[in-house]
Amino acid sequence: MNRRKTLTQFLVEQQRLEHAMPAQLRLLIEVVARACKVIGHTVNKGAISGLLGSLEQENVQGEVQKKLDVISNDILLEANEWGGHLAAMASEEMDTLHPIPNRLPKGEYLLIYDPIDGSSNIDVNGIVGTIFSVVKAPESTAGREVIEADFLQPGRNQVAAGYAIYGPQTLLVLTVGTGVYVFSLDREMGSWVMTSERLTIPPETNEFAINMANERHWELPVRKYIDELMAGADGPRQRDFNMRWMGSMVGDVHRILTQGGVFLYPRDSRPRMENGKLRLMYEANPIAFLVEQAGGKATDGKSRILDIQPNSLHQRTGVALGSSQEIERLADMQYE
Ligand code: AHM
Ligand code: MG
């Protein structure tokens, strides 16, 4: 029988490679993956557990929190607190960072996550996911409390990143800097098994993802770029394009990692959207790491996302990512 490789086997193999993955990082990824199983199960239960709907409270960014946002945040916190692999965590759904309490052993990594990406899809049984990013805590944190500044590292410092996607199948898409791997949750066995490896985003595409309802708020270069795609075979691109928008970044990105395409959430002129909607540290950085590892490009419209120096945990950014030729064309338009 041709047995599939499990996540544990993959991680042990990575540990044995020349640039060995430290045991703490391996444990961290296993714990996050286990927490994602629990979140996936909770999402799947939905109304049966009375977990759909919103809470009467907002997160630090003024967004109404869904019950599942808060529950999933707690699942990740509790799963990761006691393992001794982390120095602190930060989440889209928490106002400030969460240091590992002094009564517990501490490790050398920082975990950054969006517990439920695509929250507006929860109540309509649409795609949602969990996005995570891992960086090393600066050496200077040894023997002192972690502070926000320790998290403010450019995305190129990430040592691992990934997302779980809770759709018709529950998948874990992971990079530790050696390509992008996909693991499917085998519910009968309770394990993650590898179902795709070394994903590659083709440089060319005929598909784009953007929320067209915001068109009038975009900057001119983005409008010009999208106008060209919309003009299809009758315009300068001389071919037709197709559009998809799932309302969930992991859903749209998974499509791109599987078959190519571009995803854009540009900054726009609406109040509080001047710097974009998506969060640099919880969403853009980990997804940019995956996209680059699959041979694609990820920019804020102009510059590489992974080179942005963050100045706050909840910072937002414009996002354009996917097939390299399209991202380059968009960047060129910024200078025309
Ligand atoms: P969330 O983390 O609060 O769910 O917000 C992020 C989501 C992305 O997954 C998605 O691409 C985008 O917001 C959709 O925004 P809009 O509803 O403006 O189209
Ligand atoms: Mg969210």
Side-chain angles (χ1 to χ4, degrees), residues 59 63 69 92-93 114 116-121 131 210-211 214 245-252 263 265 270 273 277-279 283:
N59 63 15
E63 297 158 339
D69 284 326
E92 185 181 306
E93 301 300 340
D114 177 2
I116 292 283
D117 173 65
S119 304
S120 72
N121 279 358
I131 310 177
I210 194 165
N211 186 340
N214 300 327
W245 186 249
M246 298 193 199
S248 155
M249 190 191 201
V250 286
D252 286 313
F263 169 95
Y265 209 120
R270 288 173 293 165
M273 293 290 169
K277 174 178 182 187
L278 301 174
R279 275 62 41 140
E283 295 165 327

Side-chain angles (χ1 to χ4, degrees), residues 97 128 137 151 165 190 198 204 211 224 254 281 300 315:
L97 65 95
V128 291
F151 278 87
I165 178 165
R198 299 201 174 272
E204 280 184 57
N211 186 340
K224 270 171 56 189
H254 194 70
M281 306 206 51
D300 63 359
Q315 178 171 341

Side-chain angles (χ1 to χ4, degrees), residues 153-276:
Q153 305 181 34
R156 61 173 182 270
N157 285 9
Q158 291 171 105
V159 291
Y163 60 80
I165 178 165
Y166 313 115
Q169 303 138 37
T170 297
L171 306 177
L172 180 75
V173 180
L174 174 71
T175 186
V176 292
T178 57
V180 179
Y181 296 82
V182 181
F183 301 86
S184 300
L185 181 60
D186 181 335
R187 287 185 193 278
E188 279 126 60
M189 303 303 285
S191 53
W192 295 103
V193 290
M194 189 187 285
T195 42
S196 302
E197 54 188 305
R198 299 201 174 272
L199 298 188
T200 316
I201 301 175
E204 280 184 57
T205 183
N206 291 331
E207 205 165 84
F208 67 100
I210 194 165
N211 186 340
M212 285 296 295
N214 300 327
E215 182 177 16
R216 68 190 188 284
H217 307 294
W218 299 335
E219 292 169 342
L220 196 59
V222 178
R223 263 198 247 185
K224 270 171 56 189
Y225 171 72
I226 296 292
D227 279 353
E228 279 191 8
L229 305 189
M230 296 288 281
D234 302 328
R237 302 300 301 270
Q238 298 183 328
R239 65 182 203 267
D240 289 333
F241 285 79
N242 188 28
M243 197 194 83
R244 288 285 180 271
W245 186 249
M246 298 193 199
S248 155
M249 190 191 201
V250 286
D252 286 313
V253 166
H254 194 70
R255 194 177 171 91
I256 291 169
L257 281 169
T258 309
Q259 59 180 43
V262 285
F263 169 95
L264 288 91
Y265 209 120
R267 43 175 194 265
D268 66 45
S269 60
R270 288 173 293 165
R272 299 204 314 188
M273 293 290 169
E274 307 83 5
N275 297 316

Side-chain angles (χ1 to χ4, degrees), residues 14-194:
Q14 292 291 310
Q15 205 175 346
R16 288 183 187 145
L17 286 175
E18 208 182 325
H19 301 289
M21 172 191 298
Q24 268 195 17
L25 181 57
R26 202 185 106 201
L27 176 64
L28 193 170
I29 293 168
E30 296 235 41
V31 172
V32 169
R34 211 173 305 140
C36 288
K37 266 191 230 174
V38 181
I39 297 174
H41 181 74
T42 313
V43 167
N44 194 250
K45 282 268 171 195
I48 298 171
S49 315
L51 295 179
L52 300 187
S54 303
L55 294 165
E56 282 174 15
Q57 65 189 45
E58 293 182 346
N59 63 15
V60 66
Q61 311 168 63
E63 297 158 339
V64 174
Q65 285 181 308
K66 300 275 185 184
K67 289 181 195 167
L68 269 175
D69 284 326
V70 174
I71 290 163
S72 307
N73 189 63
D74 291 347
I75 290 170
L76 279 157
L77 274 186
E78 281 162 27
N80 281 285
E81 233 181 22
W82 52 272
H85 49 280
L86 287 180
M89 293 177 254
S91 154
E92 185 181 306
E93 301 300 340
M94 297 191 292
D95 295 4
T96 55
L97 65 95
H98 178 93
I100 300 301
N102 285 330
R103 64 187 157 79
L104 293 169
K106 293 182 195 185
E108 54 183 332
Y109 292 100
L110 303 175
L111 174 65
I112 305 162
Y113 59 83
D114 177 2
I116 292 283
D117 173 65
S119 304
S120 72
N121 279 358
I122 290 173
D123 295 344
V124 298
N125 198 20
I127 298 265
V128 291
T130 298
I131 310 177
F132 66 94
S133 154
V134 184
V135 292
K136 278 190 99 165
E139 281 177 15
S140 63
T141 52
R144 67 156 170 85
E145 284 288 311
V146 173
I147 57 171
E148 180 170 339
D150 298 322
F151 278 87
L152 304 182
Q153 305 181 34
R156 61 173 182 270
N157 285 9
Q158 291 171 105
V159 291
Y163 60 80
I165 178 165
Y166 313 115
Q169 303 138 37
T170 297
L171 306 177
L172 180 75
V173 180
L174 174 71
T175 186
V176 292
T178 57
V180 179
Y181 296 82
V182 181
F183 301 86
S184 300
L185 181 60
D186 181 335
R187 287 185 193 278
E188 279 126 60
M189 303 303 285
S191 53
W192 295 103
V193 290
M194 189 187 285

